[in-house]
Amino acid sequence: MAVRPILIAGDPRLTTRATPVTTFDAELAAFVDDLFEANTAANGAGLAANQVGDGRAVFVYDLVDDSVRHRGHVVNPVLETSSLPETMPDPDDDLEGCLSVPGEWYPTGRAHWSRVTGTTVTGRPVTVEATGYLARCLQHETDHLAGHLYLERLIGRNQRAARRMIKDRNWTRPGRTWLLG
């Protein structure tokens, strides 16, 4: 296993739609292990393949929500959600971060409930249904695979603050990465 560097906002690979996985083999299983390793090293809740520069439609998650640990992966995920809130996100309860936007947190509107269907690395069907933090994570990671960063979901002053941050940090050019340690 290897801890892979994580791409930072501004890299076009983060805004490219993932390609469906068609080969379920030992290499895919090893890659998912690498995603878990990188996610753990970065203290993340989830990590999508394109965040480490791989174009395949797969993500991992490993988080604690309401004292319960949720850990797994989904290949070729399809997302369903309840309706999105139409109000300004709560600055305390709706904070969201991203390993590709290191050190930043912004209130982000997400659906209360979500379900992801897809397969495992062996091609077996899998369904993950959730509310709360896990539901937010599932939405966040499937957004990545659709080529979207959570910053695109920001509204109002949060959106303006994120745009300034991107410019101030010079995160407008490709190839920037970070690696824990």
Side-chain angles (χ1 to χ4, degrees):
M1 291 190 290
V3 176
R4 297 174 183 236
I6 298 170
L7 299 177
I8 294 175
D11 193 294
R13 293 172 285 183
L14 293 170
T15 58
T16 302
R17 181 174 287 279
T19 304
V21 174
T22 56
T23 304
F24 297 85
D25 58 9
E27 190 280 328
L28 177 63
F31 174 66
V32 167
D33 288 342
D34 286 354
L35 285 177
F36 275 117
E37 186 88 9
N39 186 61
T40 298
N43 197 29
L47 187 64
N50 62 343
Q51 290 182 271
V52 296
D54 189 293
R56 291 178 282 188
V58 58
F59 71 81
V60 301
Y61 59 93
D62 189 355
L63 58 91
V64 175
D65 188 17
D66 287 332
S67 302
V68 176
R69 184 176 184 199
H70 302 275
R71 187 177 195 274
H73 68 277
V74 182
V75 179
N76 299 331
V78 176
L79 176 70
E80 300 172 67
T81 68
S82 57
S83 60
L84 292 171
E86 295 182 17
T87 58
M88 191 73 165
D90 186 289
D92 296 320
D93 294 335
D94 294 327
L95 277 180
E96 192 164 318
C98 179
L99 296 177
S100 290
V101 187
E104 298 296 329
W105 295 81
Y106 294 99
T108 308
R110 293 286 185 181
H112 173 72
W113 170 88
S114 66
R115 175 174 41 223
V116 171
T117 56
T119 64
T120 66
V121 294
T122 61
R124 287 183 308 124
V126 65
T127 299
V128 184
E129 187 171 341
T131 58
Y133 186 37
L134 179 56
R136 178 177 293 276
C137 178
L138 297 175
Q139 293 168 73
H140 182 106
E141 300 310 326
T142 55
D143 269 0
H144 272 299
L145 297 177
H148 302 291
L149 288 173
Y150 87 105
L151 301 177
E152 295 173 39
R153 292 200 175 270
L154 302 179
I155 58 175
R157 66 181 172 273
N158 300 317
Q159 183 182 63
R160 290 187 297 277
R163 285 184 181 148
R164 275 192 310 276
M165 178 275 301
I166 293 283
K167 185 179 177 184
D168 291 347
R169 291 191 177 190
N170 196 25
W171 286 354
T172 56
R173 58 186 169 87
R176 300 189 79 168
T177 63
W178 73 277
L179 183 63
L180 193 64

